[in-house]
Amino acid sequence: MTTSPPEGFKLLPSRPGFIDHNGPYYWRETGEAAPDWGFQSDGRHGNPYGYIHGGAILGFLDTALGSAVFMATKRKCATVSLDTRFVGGAAPGPWIIGRTTVKKVTRTFAFVDAEAFADDRLLVTAAAVFRVFDE
């Protein structure tokens, strides 16, 4: 198990609620349009079968996707839909990396894709739609 974030990762500012419970989450600049996102998986992220629970990964990806939309628009947003495909599994312990791609932003919606990896093994792919607010 990794005990500290990989090089370049910075702590995502603390927010009350589920994000702090499931995280902490981290981010790092990549030189690309969107940063990498990450979190250290541990026993609390496990399911009864010895794998990281899908909900822990989806909660993380939802936060990464929303953060990517906020960075692209500088506006608050909320998840409308999150379509996922679990393609791999991992026992709790590895550092989980999330990568997002903002596909399109309109005045009221953002379309974003993501992938989550454990030790370079693809775990989940996701496609999301976010409502972007005017305020």
Side-chain angles (χ1 to χ4, degrees), residues 3 11 13 24 67 72 74 94 97 104 123 128:
T3 56
L11 186 64
S67 296
K74 303 298 186 248
I97 300 282
K104 181 175 182 172
L123 301 176

Side-chain angles (χ1 to χ4, degrees), residues 57-68 78-82 114 128 130:
I57 299 170
L58 293 186
F60 162 68
L61 281 182
D62 187 50
T63 300
L65 287 157
S67 296
T79 310
V80 172
S81 68
L82 180 56
F130 278 76

Side-chain angles (χ1 to χ4, degrees), residues 74-76 133-135:
K74 303 298 186 248
R75 293 162 45 202
K76 292 181 181 179
F133 300 106
D134 289 330
E135 41 181 272

